[in-house]
Amino acid sequence: MQNVRIGIVTVSDRASRGEYEDLGGPAIQDWLQQALATPWEGVARLVPDEQDQVEAALRELCDEQGCCLVVTTGGTGPAPRDITPEATAAVCDKILDGFGEQMRAVSLKFVPTAILSRQIAGIRGRSLIINLPGKPSAIKDCLDAVFPAVPYCIDLIEGPYLETRPEVIAAFRPKHAKKPQD
């Protein structure tokens, strides 16, 4: 059986130029390593805050690399160069508003500036794309908040069956959602 592929995209001008260490991508990788029981491999990309490059990375990870999940970090604020939500919306067939709503609600418990965050999530084919903030602690808070719904969402778009480590994060599936037979 082939490992599940998960795309991790860091969107940062400074990190893409080597002026700043990418902390977001490794934070996502670490969180997923702890949370997922299903064997998986990360496919990482580091791109500047250029909408065409972010769109190209998302399309490549979904369409060519076969990632069932693509998680981005960075580029979700109100600054002029923050374009990750626009790039995500441009490549998605459907937007799932609840992800952004839940991430902002959770983040507001920690910082009043969470209302400035514009992260979204959406579906491209059989891939779920989720935008996360750039700060590692906010990445953890947001993944903790939304990831219980991620495995079932991937089931619904006919992706692979993801299992979590319940002691880290419990995936929610309705009683009628059965694990496929190997």
Side-chain angles (χ1 to χ4, degrees):
M1 185 172 126
Q2 186 177 352
N3 276 359
V4 169
R5 299 185 72 143
I6 297 176
I8 300 170
V9 181
T10 300
V11 181
S12 170
D13 285 331
R14 293 184 301 152
S16 68
R17 291 191 300 257
E19 299 169 6
Y20 174 84
E21 181 184 358
D22 173 18
L23 301 176
I28 293 168
Q29 177 94 17
D30 291 346
W31 191 94
L32 291 170
Q33 286 291 83
Q34 293 174 36
L36 286 175
T38 301
W40 68 282
E41 64 179 287
V43 184
R45 299 291 181 265
L46 174 58
V47 295
D49 292 273
E50 295 291 344
Q51 185 166 340
D52 62 335
Q53 291 185 48
V54 176
E55 287 179 25
L58 295 174
R59 280 192 299 271
E60 183 236 343
L61 290 169
C62 295
D63 303 349
E64 297 169 31
Q65 296 296 326
C67 296
C68 65
L69 173 64
V70 177
V71 186
T72 73
T73 177
T76 61
R81 293 206 41 87
D82 289 335
I83 49 71
T84 304
E86 288 79 8
T88 301
V91 303
C92 284
D93 307 315
K94 296 178 182 179
I95 299 298
L96 302 173
D97 295 317
F99 280 84
E101 293 164 4
Q102 179 65 7
M103 289 186 279
R104 282 183 286 281
V106 165
S107 296
L108 272 169
K109 295 177 183 176
F110 303 102
V111 294
T113 53
I115 61 173
L116 302 177
S117 184
R118 301 178 314 111
Q119 68 254 28
I120 66 170
I123 303 298
R124 177 178 177 86
R126 291 186 177 177
S127 304
L128 171 62
I129 301 172
I130 304 172
N131 298 157
L132 297 174
K135 187 176 174 189
S137 62
I139 287 169
K140 180 187 181 327
D141 295 336
C142 288
L143 283 171
D144 286 348
V146 301
F147 209 85
V150 168
Y152 185 57
C153 179
I154 291 172
D155 292 351
L156 291 172
I157 60 173
E158 302 175 354
Y161 191 88
L162 294 182
E163 294 185 273
T164 60
R165 292 187 175 95
E167 68 275 11
V168 177
I169 193 97
F172 175 83
R173 285 184 170 94
K175 290 190 186 327
H176 71 273
K178 304 275 189 229
K179 181 178 179 181
Q181 300 300 316
D182 291 326

